[in-house]
Amino acid sequence: MEMIRLPALRRVAICGGAHGNEMTGIYLVPELERQQKEKGDAAWSVPLTTVLSNPHAIKACSRYIDKDLNRCFTSPILSSPISEDTPYEVQRAQELNSLLGPKGSEDAVDIIIDLHNTTANMGLSIISYEWSNSVCFQIFKHLQDKITNVPVRLVLINVPPVEAFSLESVAKCGVSLEVGPQPQGVVRADIFNIMKQGVDAVLDWTETFNSGKIIEGGEVEVYLIQKSMDYPRDPKTGKPTAAIHPQLQDQDFCLLQRGDPVFLTSSGETLSYEEEEPLHPLSINEAAYYEKGIAFHLASKKTLSFPSIQAKTD
Ligand SMILES: [Zn+2]
């Protein structure tokens, strides 16, 4: 099997609260800080930066104040001039880019693990733009090996050559951990434990990598987002006229076939899946996506292989 050698990891960042109503990261980051204080430098083998990304939104227990922070990490927004009318999240994105980046530079942190929740029944999903980043695939495989009490899936956003706009894209390797189902503004201990296991597993992997051990490559199954489906809407008011069908609710990552029920209208009519190609729905009925015009994403499934990896220790 092919093997690549990469520099040892120098800095890892764990970020919570990019969305101020996704509570797991908001609870986990202070816990990691407590552990770091207690154990000192010996807590983790790689220097760890912890961040609560959107303090104003966290205080308001709202996804954002002026603008979705997790859509602000593009070059034009990161380099835009700041005035008193600048949305809060644009200012905050620039601060975070100074702290963790600059994006695309040698100085950027090696890994950002960005912690999110979903109201959809998605187990632990790793969401990434990293199509060819062997570190990302290695981390995913490690999470899948370590965490067995909940499904662990890798979702690749199928948008290159569009520039990645989310916080984790500031790092050399960005990984977003999305755990659900959890309502907005709510902390569930079972979801917290899954996220904690996920973070521990990533840190565990960085330790093994930095020790210089060869970590075997392999194959992973990935979900590639192909398109997003909106709710049927009233053409006049723009309001949704149907909800996710009960047979589809909570069935994230199932395979939808033509004719399967997808929506149930207020008047009781079932609307079916009309795509020719069977695809896997995810982020089904995500609360944050109502305003974005997304009822669920549709993904295809593919197996990708990735090389063995070893840190350069010389
Ligand atoms: Zn989020």
Side-chain angles (χ1 to χ4, degrees):
M1 175 164 292
E2 190 198 345
M3 194 186 69
I4 55 169
R5 300 186 74 218
L6 295 171
L9 302 165
R10 288 174 306 173
R11 202 168 142 220
V12 172
I14 299 180
C15 306
H19 294 134
N21 55 9
E22 297 177 7
M23 302 307 283
T24 308
I26 297 166
Y27 272 60
L28 186 50
V29 164
E31 167 56 19
L32 293 168
E33 287 168 352
R34 190 195 61 76
Q35 289 179 28
Q36 200 159 21
K37 221 177 199 167
E38 193 178 277
K39 299 181 200 160
D41 288 342
W44 293 282
S45 68
V46 186
L48 204 63
T49 304
T50 48
V51 184
L52 285 173
S53 302
N54 193 335
H56 288 194
I58 293 169
K59 200 166 171 209
C61 194
S62 153
R63 183 173 174 91
Y64 54 82
I65 300 296
D66 295 324
K67 199 177 158 72
D68 192 332
L69 176 65
N70 214 30
R71 304 289 181 273
C72 288
F73 293 88
T74 60
S75 314
I77 295 179
L78 292 175
S79 60
S80 64
I82 299 287
S83 73
E84 56 185 34
D85 300 328
T86 304
Y88 166 66
E89 277 82 6
V90 171
Q91 299 179 41
R92 187 61 186 147
Q94 295 193 6
E95 285 170 19
L96 291 168
N97 189 46
S98 305
L99 177 71
L100 305 171
K103 180 175 173 173
S105 77
E106 251 320 290
D107 291 336
V109 296
D110 293 304
I111 297 176
I112 289 178
I113 308 167
D114 197 27
L115 308 178
H116 291 265
N117 291 118
T118 169
T119 60
N121 185 24
M122 285 175 63
L124 172 57
S125 300
I126 295 134
I127 304 188
S128 184
Y129 290 92
E130 308 278 12
W131 280 69
S132 54
N133 191 317
S134 33
V135 171
C136 171
F137 284 104
Q138 285 276 357
I139 287 174
F140 167 69
K141 190 74 188 355
H142 186 69
L143 282 164
Q144 220 176 25
D145 290 346
K146 282 271 165 160
I147 298 173
T148 52
N149 53 343
V150 64
V152 179
R153 301 180 181 97
L154 177 58
V155 176
L156 290 179
I157 300 176
N158 196 8
V159 291
V162 177
E163 188 190 354
F165 46 60
S166 48
L167 168 60
E168 80 277 2
S169 70
V170 170
K172 297 193 182 92
C173 167
V175 176
S176 172
L177 296 188
E178 177 103 64
V179 190
Q182 177 168 274
Q184 297 180 333
V186 168
V187 190
R188 285 177 53 141
D190 55 347
I191 299 292
F192 182 87
N193 284 340
I194 295 164
M195 184 81 91
K196 196 156 178 292
Q197 283 180 63
V199 169
D200 287 345
V202 178
L203 294 173
D204 185 52
W205 185 89
T206 60
E207 192 158 333
T208 308
F209 175 72
N210 273 3
S211 75
K213 246 187 228 157
I214 295 174
I215 310 180
E216 291 297 322
E219 286 187 335
V220 287
E221 198 171 70
V222 301
Y223 290 86
L224 310 174
I225 294 185
Q226 301 295 335
K227 56 170 87 172
S228 303
M229 304 295 282
D230 192 8
Y231 295 92
R233 287 177 191 267
D234 183 312
K236 283 203 193 94
T237 64
K239 297 247 187 299
T241 53
I244 296 292
H245 196 280
Q247 286 181 40
L248 181 61
Q249 180 64 50
D250 301 329
Q251 303 303 315
D252 297 71
F253 299 100
C254 71
L255 187 62
L256 273 177
Q257 310 270 6
R258 201 176 162 85
D260 285 346
V262 168
F263 295 112
L264 187 64
T265 69
S266 325
S267 59
E269 189 194 346
T270 293
L271 306 177
S272 313
Y273 182 72
E274 287 173 354
E275 303 285 318
E276 288 297 334
E277 189 188 355
L279 288 168
H280 301 270
L282 62 131
S283 304
I284 298 172
N285 210 357
E286 163 57 49
Y289 288 172
Y290 277 68
E291 66 171 29
K292 296 188 197 297
I294 299 171
F296 51 87
H297 297 304
L298 287 170
S300 58
K301 199 154 76 165
K302 204 175 168 182
T303 302
L304 297 178
S305 57
F306 59 96
S308 302
I309 192 172
Q310 186 181 28
K312 287 183 200 163
T313 44
D314 42 353

